Amino acid sequence: MNNVIMMSPEINKLIEQALREDISAEDITTNAIVNGWERGEVQLIAKEDAILAGLGIFYQVFRFLDPDMIMETKAKDGDSLKRGEIVAVLQGDLRALLSGERTALNFLQRMSGIASFTHEWVQELEGSKTKLLDTRKTTPNMRIFEKYAVKVGGGENHRYNLSDGVLIKDNHIHAAGGVGEAIGHVRRETSFVRRIEVEVESLDMLREALDEKADIIMLDNMTTELMKTAIEMIDGKAITECSGNITKGRLKELSTIGLDFISCGALTHSSGIRDFSLKNLRVIGG
Amino acid sequence: MNNVIMMSPEINKLIEQALREDISAEDITTNAIVNGWERGEVQLIAKEDAILAGLGIFYQVFRFLDPDMIMETKAKDGDSLKRGEIVAVLQGDLRALLSGERTALNFLQRMSGIASFTHEWVQELEGSKTKLLDTRKTTPNMRIFEKYAVKVGGGENHRYNLSDGVLIKDNHIHAAGGVGEAIGHVRRETSFVRRIEVEVESLDMLREALDEKADIIMLDNMTTELMKTAIEMIDGKAITECSGNITKGRLKELSTIGLDFISCGALTHSSGIRDFSLKNLRVIGG
Amino acid sequence: MNNVIMMSPEINKLIEQALREDISAEDITTNAIVNGWERGEVQLIAKEDAILAGLGIFYQVFRFLDPDMIMETKAKDGDSLKRGEIVAVLQGDLRALLSGERTALNFLQRMSGIASFTHEWVQELEGSKTKLLDTRKTTPNMRIFEKYAVKVGGGENHRYNLSDGVLIKDNHIHAAGGVGEAIGHVRRETSFVRRIEVEVESLDMLREALDEKADIIMLDNMTTELMKTAIEMIDGKAITECSGNITKGRLKELSTIGLDFISCGALTHSSGIRDFSLKNLRVIGG
Amino acid sequence: MNNVIMMSPEINKLIEQALREDISAEDITTNAIVNGWERGEVQLIAKEDAILAGLGIFYQVFRFLDPDMIMETKAKDGDSLKRGEIVAVLQGDLRALLSGERTALNFLQRMSGIASFTHEWVQELEGSKTKLLDTRKTTPNMRIFEKYAVKVGGGENHRYNLSDGVLIKDNHIHAAGGVGEAIGHVRRETSFVRRIEVEVESLDMLREALDEKADIIMLDNMTTELMKTAIEMIDGKAITECSGNITKGRLKELSTIGLDFISCGALTHSSGIRDFSLKNLRVIGG
Amino acid sequence: MNNVIMMSPEINKLIEQALREDISAEDITTNAIVNGWERGEVQLIAKEDAILAGLGIFYQVFRFLDPDMIMETKAKDGDSLKRGEIVAVLQGDLRALLSGERTALNFLQRMSGIASFTHEWVQELEGSKTKLLDTRKTTPNMRIFEKYAVKVGGGENHRYNLSDGVLIKDNHIHAAGGVGEAIGHVRRETSFVRRIEVEVESLDMLREALDEKADIIMLDNMTTELMKTAIEMIDGKAITECSGNITKGRLKELSTIGLDFISCGALTHSSGIRDFSLKNLRVIGG
Amino acid sequence: MNNVIMMSPEINKLIEQALREDISAEDITTNAIVNGWERGEVQLIAKEDAILAGLGIFYQVFRFLDPDMIMETKAKDGDSLKRGEIVAVLQGDLRALLSGERTALNFLQRMSGIASFTHEWVQELEGSKTKLLDTRKTTPNMRIFEKYAVKVGGGENHRYNLSDGVLIKDNHIHAAGGVGEAIGHVRRETSFVRRIEVEVESLDMLREALDEKADIIMLDNMTTELMKTAIEMIDGKAITECSGNITKGRLKELSTIGLDFISCGALTHSSGIRDFSLKNLRVIGG
């Protein structure tokens, strides 16, 4: 599996931990039924239409239980799957197939849920320059998987975490005593490789942010009308991002006013899953 | 915070890890703006109606960053919150308030989302003996938080993981060569403290399960009519659970046919979140 | 090695940690003597009669130090070994053979000690329906290995830990205010997949437990006479377990009174070890 | 608790892990019965005569679950306890008292078992210069606790692990090609802070070891007669240790022949436990 | 201690691990000499002139061994210390003072070494707009401490790691097939919050980078003359960084040609340490 | 790679952690440019003369990212490299080559820096019996790598940490109340496998240490003259070590006065690095 996510040294730790969550001692049902090594085969099937995301992670779960597990793939991350489609065939230790099933599907379903949801929203923006962004509103200890799924679905990633991007929010501005003061502190203290983003809630705040040459302006919870005025004021002098109260229904309208980005927490916190299952298990031999 | 979830030695590990996910090095924005210790205060506010779940976890996130953080609570887990309600007030190191915000809210919002969603579904079952159950379709590395939230919302917990409950599913039956064989293996091999549950998809399979004295029968993906017949056949000789294709709209009908339990993955995989925010940050002193 | 214990994602963590306990920096003796890669072979020999348990764990210790280590087995877990018998032959990096020896044997000897001890006790119960159970009186961080060894020796496992089985003990009853109250709380709060077990010390407590329909009754520290009366009172309405002051000498007598289970901490806390050693080390080539 | 073992940064990791072993999700019985914070008190009582070891570890287990737990001690490590004696009184969160009980006792009982067993053996050596030593035959992931208990019981510690002491054993000698070669390698390669110990099985091997000026000679599996001859040959030029087939009955005899040390794996692998329990639980208030 | 570095959830893990590296079992010397709790006091003294960095980390090491350790500080990070100056006074468990000394000093000396070295280099740039930068050439598992020390010394931080900044280096350009191709890929695939930096070794590469609107240009291993030409070509259209073969002697000259930044691995890989010691230990009471 | 350091179970944990430090989420530059699997090759080249140390560690870094990575070596640890020399050729996943480069080089450069520096100092002692020792003044969490590099460079290792060697220092003597008291405590309490070393600062302290039969005497911060007198007094009755204010210039003189060892913290804390780079990256195929 050659997805970029497989190159992160973080994922093995998280997958192993998820397996331990589901198998704190042993899989008592499987171990009662299959007492020794037997070779089995099973199909991964899409139970609803979906954008596939996380097939490499799905496979890696099984490889922790059986390093010799083989997966033949019929599709790859980003592919559009039809309900009933066979996505992959796994061959390996029968017990690993049975014990790894739920954890592997829990990753795949959630990642495909996010990719599919993102894909639907992104289509609303087609034809415009505006792009859809994720946020840090991810599930704890799942961010690397969820941000990857957003990209698979056609969205773009905002900063990964508090350590790798500057975003001055309302509470920072309160703490600093003003937009200008906040930007000043940040410019002095943070690495030049980072663009400085400021969240503004009014045209007054916007004016201050422009005076201080913020690189990115987040227009927070504004009406479409107010955003139009703001974008005119900004006039290309900063990258623009719109945030707050974003619904799918509003995307088309928002795509016409010249925004660079629309960010939306729902991509990762409210997408729901897409259903997959392991079917047609066969025992091949012992 | 006296919730039972706070008594689990697992949670500190997971909370600390979630904080490291969001702060892999340092919070560059906050550290640029607040360079030394200052005391701050902030309010936790419900941005939509919700059943509160996870307030102890929310607090614990901040205590990792500032062991002297104080939280005054206005509500407790299980309470029904109104939009705009102040839920708690935090006082402590201003930097901890700013840096811990997102991680703390990510836990609280998801847990309250599950509790609220569960609460709505449970109300459909009122007046019947039938109870709503969660599944193992939880987010990887979030199970302890998600199963707790289901209980806060009025649902009940199915087995926690593969190590602590027996559930013989279709793939196990294929591997064993039949319902009877599977139950036999499990009865010989697993601890007597566990009830044996079998998933059946037809009346033939049900008959075999009853012959083998399964303790719990899961009626999988059956029509309501077929389930009625099944429940008559079971006639109190086993606990009954219904699973597959459960929607909120079907709950009322299902509550009338004498089922003991209805289990539903959507509680933990598709509930979405409830929105909260930290507002009215004040710097109190240095 | 196809033992079910090898399918637990917990064991690798514990084995690796045990190796680090014994090799906090490097094996200074071995590294002084064998400075580069050389191929070696060594025999695992039983130094006393034993029931073998833990051969897969033994092998896994060496594979952490040399992933290419090969083990040819002459016996498998559960086999009855005679003093002097060759159990297995290992081939691989000479340094791994020398450095892994003690940790591998420490696992194998303790697990075989428990299996052998259990096996001897179980034979006292032959011909009766009564079965021998372990407890949670295991060595910290060794439970998965010790409970597996009990099964290899012919015993059965009680609950694994506090999270996967209900056992209402004297201190719980004090805290709840009575047997009935305790059972009531537990029935309302815990998952239906769990059987409820109560520890009783008198016939009065037993009566209350039966009234509340406890699933399993533990008769704690009772005389054989008193247990007979209790079993008559229970009359098949609950599973029975006897606990406290169990000695090997008492087992025969206890096997005649109709108990379902006898549980005994000594299996895991006082079995002692069975002795094995690595002998006839040969250097094969460099 | 001021025992030296409490100063090791290793112990907290191991205690926390042991608690997670016993509480992989939550203590379902306790949490069903005690739903919120209540203050409780309980007594730690010796159920048989014992040398106390591990009281600080016992206390630390509870402090992980309730950092405000208080322990009033009536005895300290090394004290000789009588059956029925109250050893300590714990006060704190009732749930912590119930949930931590088994893990805390598992440490205390095993450590006191080792200390008591060691104490009995050490008394056989009274009046002689010969001292009793432990070995590396400890339970995996318990060494720090077990070696401490040996010292509490009056024994002495051999090297801690493969990284901190040189012991050239039979397999090393085979690998090196001879006693002399082995000592030569080790002298060149290992730190001067370490004494070099060699295991010899015959007078020929002893002669070689003396020629190479080994600092410590382990007389392995020799008869008492042969050891006498060996000790005369050594004549103070090396420290002497006897090992192999040591029983309590042989200690007196061995104490008369001028050995410096007798090492014995049984101290840590076959001591059994001493029984303690938590009794007289009282709820103090909520 | 209010330094921003203390707000990182990473540091506790690394400090605890460093303590375990130095105390794999117990501090045998200290525990032999101080067998129980005694209160002690000791002074931290600068043994050479230095810029202080890491005092909070130094203190945290001791607090792991004794949570009640108190430190009275006479200086703070960034202060210029004179040889012989008392920097702080520690009071707490005598054993913690003795056992933590080396690990605490190892952090403090290295961090102060980097801060002092950086401070000296930064002074060469005084009066110019050019700033001194660190690199990723840090000691494995020490980056958070080393990058903090660079800032304390007056330097600035380049990106923290591969996940939070884009730097297209020679090997990336080879893999992509050209400067333009590489920038194109990166612009499409990475988050808009990141500035894109390209390393160029010639004016041809520079031209391509400018055509593709790179945000930051790293002039790699160029002569001062060539850099002058490059900076003229860039003419404010990108931030400029110079890298490769930077010596202290070259800094003055480089500060005159209009560079924004000079980056230098020596800051973290070749600074050496500044010497401190713990002196005047006093036992205060038991 | 057959270096002894590769046999330590500690190193994999530290290497994996170093990779996570540098890749907290993903390598955004590399993943943007190389989106799928491609085979690449690159050369490791010495950029200055050096004693090579750490080639196995260097290789292991890449194998974490690509278990199928192949390394053809042209030199081995301890070899003397010339500037420009090709040391090894790596073949494997192109992304692993790019993402692992910096972490792998950070280990190799530091280890080779220490080996090279040690090698130069050791040459000053040629012809004498005096040997060069490292100390515990290592970089936190790098000791195993740094002590190995000292040996590669021709130095010897002092004790590894506080758990495996006795060194009574000035602060211990203050705490014990005198040299004699300190040695007495240690002799009673620590394992007989350890030699007892005492640090003395005057002839009076030396006399006490000799009276108490210390095994090793560290002459701390003495003039060469004073050391001569000390060595005469010691007269072979203890091993001698000199410590404090050691510079390369003093080594020749010190080598003539009969010292057994000279220990020097600079070996590990002030050696600087030797420069290496990965060059001539080629894409071989996809």
Side-chain angles (χ1 to χ4, degrees), chain D residues 133 151 156-160 163-164 188-189 191-195 197 215-216 239 241 261, chain F residues 133 151 156-160 163-164 188-189 191-195 197 215-216 239 241 261:
Chain D
L133 280 182
K151 286 196 78 173
E156 303 217 350
N157 295 154
H158 207 300
R159 63 174 173 169
Y160 189 77
S163 300
D164 78 335
R188 272 190 303 280
E189 298 289 335
S191 178
F192 71 106
V193 302
R194 315 202 187 287
R195 290 206 171 100
E197 176 164 13
D215 299 298
I216 313 170
I239 298 167
E241 174 186 349
F261 295 99
Chain F
L133 282 181
K151 285 196 79 171
E156 302 218 350
N157 293 155
H158 207 298
R159 63 174 173 170
Y160 189 75
S163 299
D164 79 336
R188 272 189 303 280
E189 299 288 335
S191 177
F192 72 107
V193 301
R194 315 202 187 289
R195 290 206 171 101
E197 176 165 11
D215 299 299
I216 313 170
I239 299 168
E241 175 187 348
F261 294 99

Side-chain angles (χ1 to χ4, degrees), chain A residues 139-144 160-161, chain B residues 17-23:
Chain A
T139 318
N141 297 316
M142 283 292 286
R143 187 167 291 165
I144 198 160
Y160 189 77
N161 64 20
Chain B
Q17 189 174 316
L19 269 170
R20 289 204 188 110
E21 181 185 60
D22 202 31
I23 313 178

Side-chain angles (χ1 to χ4, degrees), chain D residues 65-220:
Chain D
L65 295 173
D66 174 11
D68 298 325
M69 183 70 64
I70 290 164
M71 181 168 76
E72 186 193 340
T73 60
K74 316 276 191 188
K76 63 182 191 309
D77 279 9
D79 284 1
S80 188
L81 304 173
K82 286 290 158 207
R83 180 183 170 164
E85 200 173 326
I86 299 178
V87 183
V89 180
L90 286 162
Q91 263 202 15
D93 188 319
L94 186 56
R95 295 166 301 178
L97 290 175
L98 291 165
S99 300
E101 173 177 1
R102 187 72 264 142
T103 300
L105 288 175
N106 283 349
F107 276 110
L108 186 74
Q109 292 186 342
R110 189 160 301 260
M111 291 173 78
S112 297
I114 291 171
S116 305
F117 184 99
T118 303
H119 183 72
E120 285 170 13
W121 284 44
V122 162
Q123 286 174 316
E124 300 293 308
L125 299 175
E126 245 176 34
S128 85
K129 73 159 188 178
T130 313
K131 287 169 182 162
L132 193 64
L133 280 182
D134 59 20
T135 66
R136 281 167 48 243
K137 294 179 179 175
T138 56
T139 318
N141 298 316
M142 283 292 286
R143 187 168 293 165
I144 198 161
F145 305 106
E146 296 184 350
K147 289 226 160 203
Y148 167 80
V150 167
K151 286 196 78 173
V152 169
E156 303 217 350
N157 295 154
H158 207 300
R159 63 174 173 169
Y160 189 77
N161 65 19
L162 292 173
S163 300
D164 78 335
V166 171
L167 175 42
I168 301 171
K169 308 190 76 170
D170 55 346
N171 282 334
H172 294 110
I173 294 168
H174 289 159
V179 171
E181 287 81 351
I183 297 179
H185 282 303
V186 166
R187 201 180 299 287
R188 272 190 303 280
E189 298 289 335
T190 54
S191 178
F192 71 106
V193 302
R194 315 202 187 287
R195 290 206 171 100
I196 296 177
E197 176 164 13
V198 188
E199 180 182 299
V200 301
E201 292 161 354
S202 68
L203 298 185
D204 280 351
M205 288 174 77
L206 170 57
R207 211 163 286 124
E208 259 192 276
L210 288 171
D211 286 352
E212 295 293 330
K213 300 197 186 336
D215 299 298
I216 313 170
I217 308 266
M218 179 196 281
L219 306 168
D220 190 42

Side-chain angles (χ1 to χ4, degrees), chain E residues 181-241:
Chain E
E181 287 81 350
I183 297 180
H185 282 302
V186 166
R187 200 179 299 287
R188 272 190 304 281
E189 298 289 335
T190 54
S191 177
F192 72 106
V193 302
R194 317 204 185 287
R195 290 205 170 101
I196 297 176
E197 176 164 12
V198 189
E199 179 181 300
V200 301
E201 291 162 354
S202 67
L203 298 185
D204 281 351
M205 289 175 76
L206 171 57
R207 212 163 284 124
E208 260 192 276
L210 288 172
D211 286 352
E212 294 293 330
K213 302 200 187 330
D215 299 299
I216 313 170
I217 308 266
M218 179 196 278
L219 306 170
D220 190 42
N221 274 312
M222 289 186 177
T223 61
T224 308
E225 276 318 295
L226 192 56
M227 275 194 279
K228 276 189 195 164
T229 313
I231 290 164
E232 274 167 36
M233 274 175 63
I234 295 168
D235 191 25
K237 290 191 287 287
I239 299 168
T240 54
E241 174 186 348

Side-chain angles (χ1 to χ4, degrees), chain F residues 140-161:
Chain F
N141 298 316
M142 284 291 287
R143 187 168 292 166
I144 199 161
F145 304 106
E146 294 184 350
K147 289 224 161 203
Y148 167 79
V150 166
K151 285 196 79 171
V152 169
E156 302 218 350
N157 293 155
H158 207 298
R159 63 174 173 170
Y160 189 75
N161 65 20

Side-chain angles (χ1 to χ4, degrees), chain F residues 121-132 251-262:
Chain F
W121 283 43
V122 162
Q123 287 175 315
E124 300 292 309
L125 299 174
E126 246 175 35
S128 84
K129 72 159 189 177
T130 312
K131 287 169 182 162
L132 193 64
L251 289 177
K252 271 244 142 61
E253 182 189 274
L254 289 171
S255 76
T256 63
I257 62 171
L259 284 162
D260 294 308
F261 294 99
I262 298 169

Side-chain angles (χ1 to χ4, degrees), chain C residues 70-101:
Chain C
I70 290 163
M71 179 167 78
E72 187 191 340
T73 61
K74 316 278 192 189
K76 63 181 190 311
D77 280 9
D79 284 0
S80 186
L81 304 173
K82 287 289 158 206
R83 179 182 171 164
E85 203 174 322
I86 298 178
V87 182
V89 179
L90 287 162
Q91 262 201 17
D93 188 319
L94 186 56
R95 295 166 302 178
L97 290 173
L98 292 165
S99 300
E101 174 177 1

Side-chain angles (χ1 to χ4, degrees), chain F residues 3-14:
Chain F
N3 304 316
V4 294
I5 194 172
M6 303 309 292
M7 299 306 291
S8 167
E10 277 295 312
I11 63 161
N12 282 338
K13 185 184 71 179
L14 291 164

